[in-house]
Each structure stands twice: as structure tokens, then as C-alpha cells.
Short mmCIF file of all heavy atoms in Angstrom, two decimals:
data_model
loop_
_atom_site.label_atom_id
_atom_site.label_comp_id
_atom_site.label_asym_id
_atom_site.label_seq_id
_atom_site.Cartn_x
_atom_site.Cartn_y
_atom_site.Cartn_z
N CYS A 1365 104.54 123.65 142.12
CA CYS A 1365 105.43 124.48 141.29
C CYS A 1365 105.93 125.83 142.00
O CYS A 1365 105.23 126.17 143.06
CB CYS A 1365 104.88 124.84 139.93
SG CYS A 1365 104.45 123.34 139.02
N GLU A 1366 106.98 126.28 141.58
CA GLU A 1366 107.40 127.66 142.14
C GLU A 1366 107.30 128.76 141.15
O GLU A 1366 107.08 128.42 139.90
CB GLU A 1366 108.99 127.55 142.46
CG GLU A 1366 109.32 126.45 143.54
CD GLU A 1366 108.66 126.79 144.83
OE1 GLU A 1366 108.60 127.93 145.28
OE2 GLU A 1366 108.14 125.76 145.54
N ALA A 1367 107.42 129.97 141.55
CA ALA A 1367 107.24 131.11 140.70
C ALA A 1367 108.31 131.00 139.57
O ALA A 1367 109.47 130.76 139.70
CB ALA A 1367 107.35 132.46 141.40
N GLY A 1368 107.76 131.19 138.37
CA GLY A 1368 108.70 131.20 137.15
C GLY A 1368 108.89 129.98 136.40
O GLY A 1368 109.36 129.62 135.36
N ASP A 1369 108.39 128.87 137.07
CA ASP A 1369 108.49 127.48 136.51
C ASP A 1369 107.59 127.48 135.19
O ASP A 1369 106.64 128.23 135.07
CB ASP A 1369 107.90 126.46 137.43
CG ASP A 1369 108.84 126.14 138.60
OD1 ASP A 1369 109.94 126.61 138.54
OD2 ASP A 1369 108.45 125.28 139.50
N ILE A 1370 108.01 126.72 134.26
CA ILE A 1370 107.33 126.46 132.93
C ILE A 1370 106.49 125.17 133.06
O ILE A 1370 107.12 124.12 133.00
CB ILE A 1370 108.39 126.45 131.76
CG1 ILE A 1370 109.38 127.69 131.87
CG2 ILE A 1370 107.65 126.46 130.41
CD1 ILE A 1370 110.64 127.46 131.08
N TRP A 1371 105.20 125.29 132.98
CA TRP A 1371 104.46 124.14 132.99
C TRP A 1371 103.75 123.95 131.60
O TRP A 1371 103.40 124.89 130.93
CB TRP A 1371 103.30 124.23 133.99
CG TRP A 1371 102.47 123.05 134.27
CD1 TRP A 1371 102.71 122.17 135.21
CD2 TRP A 1371 101.24 122.50 133.56
NE1 TRP A 1371 101.83 121.05 135.28
CE2 TRP A 1371 100.95 121.22 134.15
CE3 TRP A 1371 100.74 123.01 132.53
CZ2 TRP A 1371 99.88 120.50 133.72
CZ3 TRP A 1371 99.57 122.23 131.94
CH2 TRP A 1371 99.20 121.03 132.54
N ARG A 1372 103.53 122.63 131.23
CA ARG A 1372 103.05 122.34 129.92
C ARG A 1372 102.20 121.11 129.92
O ARG A 1372 102.52 120.15 130.57
CB ARG A 1372 103.88 122.44 128.77
CG ARG A 1372 104.86 121.15 128.70
CD ARG A 1372 105.75 121.30 127.43
NE ARG A 1372 106.66 120.09 127.47
CZ ARG A 1372 107.96 120.16 127.02
NH1 ARG A 1372 108.43 121.32 126.81
NH2 ARG A 1372 108.68 119.15 127.04
N MET A 1373 101.18 121.01 129.07
CA MET A 1373 100.50 119.77 128.66
C MET A 1373 100.73 119.52 127.28
O MET A 1373 100.58 120.44 126.32
CB MET A 1373 98.92 119.87 128.93
CG MET A 1373 98.20 118.72 128.50
SD MET A 1373 96.38 118.80 128.77
CE MET A 1373 96.37 118.34 130.42
N SER A 1374 101.11 118.26 126.92
CA SER A 1374 101.14 117.64 125.63
C SER A 1374 100.01 116.61 125.44
O SER A 1374 99.44 116.05 126.37
CB SER A 1374 102.61 117.04 125.29
OG SER A 1374 103.46 118.00 125.74
N ARG A 1375 99.69 116.38 124.14
CA ARG A 1375 98.54 115.48 123.93
C ARG A 1375 98.95 114.64 122.71
O ARG A 1375 99.71 114.96 121.74
CB ARG A 1375 97.33 116.25 123.45
CG ARG A 1375 96.92 117.38 124.53
CD ARG A 1375 96.03 118.29 124.11
NE ARG A 1375 94.59 117.63 123.76
CZ ARG A 1375 93.56 118.29 123.28
NH1 ARG A 1375 93.62 119.56 123.01
NH2 ARG A 1375 92.42 117.57 123.12
N ALA A 1376 98.46 113.43 122.64
CA ALA A 1376 98.52 112.40 121.56
C ALA A 1376 97.21 111.67 121.41
O ALA A 1376 96.80 111.09 122.33
CB ALA A 1376 99.72 111.52 121.70
N LYS A 1377 96.61 111.83 120.35
CA LYS A 1377 95.19 111.22 120.12
C LYS A 1377 95.40 109.82 119.62
O LYS A 1377 96.36 109.41 118.89
CB LYS A 1377 94.44 112.10 119.01
CG LYS A 1377 94.22 113.50 119.60
CD LYS A 1377 93.45 114.39 118.56
CE LYS A 1377 93.18 115.78 119.14
NZ LYS A 1377 94.41 116.60 119.53
N ASP A 1378 94.42 109.03 119.93
CA ASP A 1378 94.35 107.57 119.63
C ASP A 1378 94.51 107.27 118.10
O ASP A 1378 95.21 106.34 117.82
CB ASP A 1378 93.20 107.03 120.14
CG ASP A 1378 93.26 105.46 120.33
OD1 ASP A 1378 94.15 104.95 120.94
OD2 ASP A 1378 92.34 104.73 119.65
N ILE A 1379 93.71 107.86 117.38
CA ILE A 1379 93.69 107.54 115.89
C ILE A 1379 95.11 107.73 115.27
O ILE A 1379 95.53 106.94 114.51
CB ILE A 1379 92.56 108.23 115.12
CG1 ILE A 1379 91.17 107.75 115.50
CG2 ILE A 1379 92.67 108.21 113.56
CD1 ILE A 1379 90.01 108.56 114.95
N PRO A 1380 95.75 108.90 115.40
CA PRO A 1380 97.12 108.99 114.87
C PRO A 1380 98.10 108.06 115.53
O PRO A 1380 99.01 107.63 114.76
CB PRO A 1380 97.37 110.47 115.36
CG PRO A 1380 96.14 111.24 115.46
CD PRO A 1380 95.21 110.17 115.98
N ILE A 1381 97.95 107.74 116.80
CA ILE A 1381 98.80 106.70 117.44
C ILE A 1381 98.69 105.36 116.61
O ILE A 1381 99.62 104.70 116.36
CB ILE A 1381 98.54 106.63 118.90
CG1 ILE A 1381 98.94 107.86 119.73
CG2 ILE A 1381 99.30 105.39 119.48
CD1 ILE A 1381 98.51 107.91 121.04
N LYS A 1382 97.38 105.00 116.41
CA LYS A 1382 97.17 103.60 115.82
C LYS A 1382 97.73 103.66 114.37
O LYS A 1382 98.31 102.67 113.94
CB LYS A 1382 95.79 103.37 115.77
CG LYS A 1382 95.32 101.83 115.19
CD LYS A 1382 93.96 101.64 115.48
CE LYS A 1382 93.65 100.14 114.92
NZ LYS A 1382 92.18 99.82 115.11
N ASP A 1383 97.58 104.82 113.64
CA ASP A 1383 98.04 104.87 112.29
C ASP A 1383 99.65 104.82 112.28
O ASP A 1383 100.27 104.27 111.37
CB ASP A 1383 97.54 106.23 111.67
CG ASP A 1383 98.15 106.46 110.31
OD1 ASP A 1383 97.63 105.76 109.38
OD2 ASP A 1383 98.99 107.27 110.06
N TRP A 1384 100.24 105.53 113.35
CA TRP A 1384 101.70 105.48 113.45
C TRP A 1384 102.17 104.02 113.64
O TRP A 1384 103.17 103.63 113.02
CB TRP A 1384 101.98 106.24 114.64
CG TRP A 1384 103.44 106.40 115.15
CD1 TRP A 1384 104.53 106.89 114.62
CD2 TRP A 1384 103.77 105.95 116.53
NE1 TRP A 1384 105.52 106.80 115.47
CE2 TRP A 1384 105.17 106.22 116.62
CE3 TRP A 1384 103.00 105.38 117.60
CZ2 TRP A 1384 105.89 105.84 117.90
CZ3 TRP A 1384 103.81 104.97 118.75
CH2 TRP A 1384 105.11 105.40 118.93
N ILE A 1385 101.48 103.27 114.48
CA ILE A 1385 101.87 101.84 114.67
C ILE A 1385 101.80 101.01 113.31
O ILE A 1385 102.60 100.27 112.96
CB ILE A 1385 100.97 101.30 115.70
CG1 ILE A 1385 101.24 101.95 117.02
CG2 ILE A 1385 101.25 99.72 115.84
CD1 ILE A 1385 100.06 101.64 118.16
N ARG A 1386 100.73 101.38 112.61
CA ARG A 1386 100.41 100.67 111.27
C ARG A 1386 101.54 101.02 110.24
O ARG A 1386 102.12 100.06 109.75
CB ARG A 1386 99.14 101.17 110.67
CG ARG A 1386 98.92 100.63 109.28
CD ARG A 1386 97.67 101.28 108.60
NE ARG A 1386 97.83 102.73 108.33
CZ ARG A 1386 98.61 103.26 107.36
NH1 ARG A 1386 99.12 102.56 106.47
NH2 ARG A 1386 98.66 104.61 107.29
N LEU A 1387 101.94 102.32 110.26
CA LEU A 1387 102.98 102.71 109.30
C LEU A 1387 104.36 101.97 109.57
O LEU A 1387 105.02 101.62 108.74
CB LEU A 1387 103.15 104.24 109.33
CG LEU A 1387 102.33 105.13 108.51
CD1 LEU A 1387 102.80 106.56 108.85
CD2 LEU A 1387 102.65 104.74 107.04
N ALA A 1388 104.61 101.91 110.99
CA ALA A 1388 105.88 101.22 111.41
C ALA A 1388 105.96 99.83 110.90
O ALA A 1388 106.94 99.45 110.36
CB ALA A 1388 106.00 101.38 112.89
N PHE A 1389 104.93 99.11 111.10
CA PHE A 1389 104.84 97.69 110.73
C PHE A 1389 104.94 97.54 109.29
O PHE A 1389 105.52 96.54 108.66
CB PHE A 1389 103.83 96.90 111.51
CG PHE A 1389 104.02 96.82 113.02
CD1 PHE A 1389 102.91 97.08 113.80
CD2 PHE A 1389 105.26 96.70 113.54
CE1 PHE A 1389 103.13 97.05 115.23
CE2 PHE A 1389 105.44 96.61 114.90
CZ PHE A 1389 104.34 96.76 115.72
N GLU A 1390 104.26 98.36 108.53
CA GLU A 1390 104.18 98.24 107.08
C GLU A 1390 105.66 98.63 106.51
O GLU A 1390 106.01 97.85 105.64
CB GLU A 1390 103.19 99.24 106.48
CG GLU A 1390 101.72 98.81 106.63
CD GLU A 1390 100.76 99.79 105.99
OE1 GLU A 1390 101.25 100.78 105.39
OE2 GLU A 1390 99.52 99.57 106.05
N ARG A 1391 106.28 99.54 107.06
CA ARG A 1391 107.55 99.92 106.68
C ARG A 1391 108.59 98.74 106.90
O ARG A 1391 109.46 98.43 106.20
CB ARG A 1391 108.15 101.32 107.13
CG ARG A 1391 109.49 101.74 106.94
CD ARG A 1391 109.85 101.73 105.38
NE ARG A 1391 108.90 102.38 104.62
CZ ARG A 1391 108.96 102.44 103.28
NH1 ARG A 1391 109.93 101.67 102.71
NH2 ARG A 1391 107.94 103.09 102.63
N GLY A 1392 108.31 98.14 108.09
CA GLY A 1392 109.24 97.02 108.52
C GLY A 1392 108.99 95.85 107.53
O GLY A 1392 110.01 95.22 107.21
#
């Protein structure tokens, strides 16, 4: 990176991801 750049980390946990998938198919 260069000076002034904006660096970030994002996260997504496994249990919420699995629940999201469940919700999608249930709504479908």
C-alpha cells in the first residue's frame, strides 16, 4: 500500500452464513 490508502478487513461467520442460506431456501 501507499501512504493515505484505506485498508480494511471484513468478516462473515459460519453460523450466520448457514442461517442466511436456510432463510433463502425457506422463502423460496
Side-chain angles (χ1 to χ4, degrees):
C1365 301
E1366 299 299 323
D1369 287 354
I1370 308 163
W1371 190 94
R1372 73 174 178 222
M1373 171 180 280
S1374 304
R1375 307 167 64 181
K1377 297 178 176 65
D1378 191 58
I1379 291 174
I1381 293 171
K1382 187 174 182 180
D1383 179 74
W1384 170 68
I1385 298 165
R1386 174 190 64 81
L1387 273 177
F1389 294 138
E1390 285 185 1
R1391 178 52 51 189

